Amino acid sequence: MSKQTFALRGTICYSNSPTELSITENAYLVCENGLCAGVFTELPEKYAGIPCTDFGEELIIPGLTDLHLHAPQYTFRGTGMDLELLDWLNTITFPQEARYEDTDFAREAYSIFAEDMKKSPNTRACIFGTLHVPATEILMELLDKTGMKTMVGKVNMDRNGSPLLQEESAKASADATISWIEDTLTKFENVTPILTPRFTPSCSDELMKRLSEIQKKYHLPMQSHLSENFGEIAWVKELCPATHFYGEAYSQFGLFGGDCPTVMAHCVHSSDEEIALMKKQGVYIAHCPQSNTNLSSGIAPARRYLDAGLHIGLGSDIAAGSSLSILRAMADAIQVSKLYWRLADSSVRPLTLEEAFYMGTEGGGSFFGKVGSFKEGYEFDAVVLNDSTIASPLKLAPKDRLERLVYLSDDRNISAKYAAGKKIL
Ligand SMILES: [Zn+2]
């Protein structure tokens, strides 16, 4: 038996389906060469004698995936929350992101970010950097050391930025992107590049065309923003008069799913046509409830996306969202879905704990392949949660314990974390 084979023992919890949890107490979760080999109430004969860490009653859940966040914005999370998207970008975000031209500042800021990411319950993430290549490479180097499996993007923006935060031309942006990809494509064990046009208002048609050629050459996935805020959507309509809906501003360049695996943040106000195209093209939706609340963007119809079978996961959207934990994002997703049901449309049932848990694990994890579950053959990403410090005189069932952790936990409740079979915390 390979020495990379081991077991964890505890209360093991994962999604059987978007609506059903599998919970097994006093069970063994076996990792074989980085992959899940199954959950067993008794260790099978063939695994006799493998190393086993006994976590007692602690909960063991799949590693969580943050499908959308901005590393350079971590410095100012929790501040400037009284603006809507476009004013927030111009007033707070762009001036702060411009600072990453300074690599000393980038290293200091990204060290704090990487350290906190490591302590979070997340094992996977799709992350925006800034438009600066050296700073983005520093971010990738620091994240690589955490052992988390991440995709990181050098941002493209050649219009509507600020004097200090905009690339000179479409060509300059594309050239910088190619040199960044060449530098980083195979450099890291745990971090890979992802194409990152900031959003349509930041990228000229010529830049999108060039990014499309780059995507075809390197077969990279892509991340961006979609239909987040009314002002933004109206602006895209003005900028792209030939398109019928926002998503077409990406799809007309082949940057919207299909052969270009794509994750789009928000989709708060997507039209029926846009939703149909996302479904057809297999576009992933990063639902970012805390961000959508903070920037008064609205409530994305997550229930509709789930029921229609679209790919949907959760994002923290740091720093429009304030909290890194995808457990917190699960609680936020449930809470905003209740407001949507009560205030906007009483025919749209709120999300359940099971559904929010699914979105935070396998829903978003599947953007990385077989990730986010303990079903056999999935990559072994696991988080061990100790809820004994959240005191209660009640004897709680495992599902209630999980729910309490979704609503009440912080990093202090994490006992251990594994990504792709390696212990990283
Ligand atoms: Zn964002």
Side-chain angles (χ1 to χ4, degrees):
M1 197 65 68
S2 151
K3 61 177 183 234
Q4 286 166 336
T5 298
F6 61 88
L8 310 182
R9 187 168 179 277
T11 301
I12 294 162
C13 176
Y14 65 97
S15 292
N16 261 337
S17 75
T19 55
E20 194 193 316
L21 290 173
S22 161
I23 300 179
T24 319
E25 292 179 271
N26 302 313
Y28 297 89
L29 173 65
V30 175
C31 172
E32 198 169 347
N33 298 320
L35 302 180
C36 294
V39 175
F40 307 96
T41 47
E42 279 181 38
L43 207 55
E45 187 64 34
K46 69 170 176 167
Y47 297 123
I50 64 172
C52 177
T53 308
D54 190 345
F55 288 100
E57 290 193 340
E58 292 184 35
L59 254 72
I60 305 175
I61 65 169
L64 308 179
T65 293
D66 188 342
L67 268 189
H68 181 74
L69 75 162
H70 299 256
Q73 299 174 13
Y74 194 64
T75 49
F76 61 90
R77 71 196 186 284
T79 66
M81 298 275 84
D82 295 330
L83 297 169
E84 288 192 47
L85 175 67
L86 300 177
D87 290 333
W88 177 78
L89 286 173
N90 288 320
T91 313
I92 297 170
T93 308
F94 290 170
Q96 285 298 329
E97 287 197 12
R99 302 186 65 173
Y100 289 79
E101 188 172 358
D102 173 354
T103 50
D104 289 339
F105 177 78
R107 189 168 289 280
E108 186 187 357
Y110 285 152
S111 297
I112 295 168
F113 171 74
E115 197 51 42
D116 284 1
M117 285 284 280
K118 190 173 172 168
K119 288 187 246 165
S120 78
N122 314 336
T123 54
R124 309 259 166 172
C126 294
I127 303 170
F128 281 53
T130 59
L131 57 78
H132 313 96
V133 172
T136 304
E137 294 189 8
I138 289 170
L139 171 63
M140 295 171 91
E141 174 203 316
L142 291 166
L143 281 168
D144 193 52
K145 289 185 191 145
T146 67
M148 290 178 65
K149 297 280 179 186
T150 59
M151 298 184 196
V152 171
K154 170 233 168 305
V155 168
N156 297 99
M157 45 193 301
D158 72 335
R159 66 177 179 186
N160 298 315
S162 72
L164 291 175
L165 193 77
Q166 185 173 304
E167 294 168 295
E168 224 167 75
S169 64
K171 183 174 184 310
S173 179
D175 288 350
T177 302
I178 291 168
S179 96
W180 162 69
I181 294 169
E182 293 284 350
D183 276 358
T184 60
L185 195 56
T186 56
K187 184 173 179 185
F188 302 107
E189 187 186 346
N190 302 310
V191 186
T192 53
I194 178 168
L195 283 178
T196 307
R198 177 168 215 121
F199 68 155
T200 298
S202 297
C203 299
S204 66
D205 283 5
E206 193 197 333
L207 176 53
M208 288 297 209
K209 246 179 256 157
R210 287 173 183 270
L211 289 177
S212 169
E213 284 157 20
I214 293 171
Q215 196 279 327
K216 285 190 184 77
K217 179 167 178 204
Y218 294 98
H219 307 289
L220 291 188
M222 194 276 252
Q223 61 182 351
S224 195
H225 297 92
L226 183 66
S227 298
E228 175 176 0
N229 159 291
F230 289 127
E232 171 213 20
I233 293 167
W235 194 14
V236 170
K237 215 173 201 149
E238 264 172 48
L239 291 166
C240 309
T243 58
H244 300 91
F245 51 92
Y246 192 163
E248 222 174 56
Y250 300 107
S251 71
Q252 64 181 340
F253 299 105
L255 296 170
F256 203 66
D259 291 334
C260 170
T262 298
V263 56
M264 283 292 175
H266 307 305
C267 308
V268 176
H269 305 289
S270 291
S271 65
D272 292 348
E273 279 172 293
E274 185 163 285
I275 293 168
L277 189 61
M278 284 193 283
K279 174 155 183 167
K280 178 167 168 250
Q281 296 290 96
V283 170
Y284 274 70
I285 296 164
H287 177 36
C288 307
Q290 196 177 63
S291 159
N292 298 154
T293 305
N294 283 340
L295 296 188
S296 311
S297 300
I299 303 172
R303 149 78 50 223
R304 179 175 177 190
Y305 296 146
L306 266 181
D307 288 356
L310 274 77
H311 294 296
I312 177 167
L314 295 173
S316 67
D317 195 22
I318 297 294
S322 328
S323 168
L324 269 185
S325 169
I326 290 300
L327 288 169
R328 168 67 195 265
M330 292 177 194
D332 292 329
I334 295 168
Q335 289 172 335
V336 300
S337 77
K338 289 175 179 169
L339 293 176
Y340 191 87
W341 171 63
R342 183 62 72 200
L343 300 173
D345 186 344
S346 61
S347 71
V348 180
R349 282 177 298 118
L351 297 176
T352 61
L353 174 71
E354 285 85 349
E355 288 165 327
F357 185 78
Y358 172 81
M359 288 196 290
T361 54
E362 193 174 353
S366 59
F367 191 67
F368 288 78
K370 289 179 90 172
V371 169
S373 173
F374 293 145
K375 284 175 253 180
E376 201 181 332
Y378 275 65
E379 290 191 59
F380 191 93
D381 283 25
V383 179
V384 185
L385 297 169
N386 175 7
D387 58 348
S388 68
T389 53
I390 311 172
S392 168
L394 305 178
K395 171 80 186 133
L396 295 166
K399 187 186 149 182
D400 297 328
R401 293 175 53 209
L402 176 68
E403 189 170 20
R404 249 167 42 116
L405 284 159
V406 164
Y407 282 88
L408 296 174
S409 69
D410 60 37
D411 294 353
R412 290 168 296 184
N413 297 99
I414 301 170
S415 299
K417 180 159 103 167
Y418 300 78
K422 285 200 181 132
K423 188 169 190 301
I424 62 171
L425 187 71

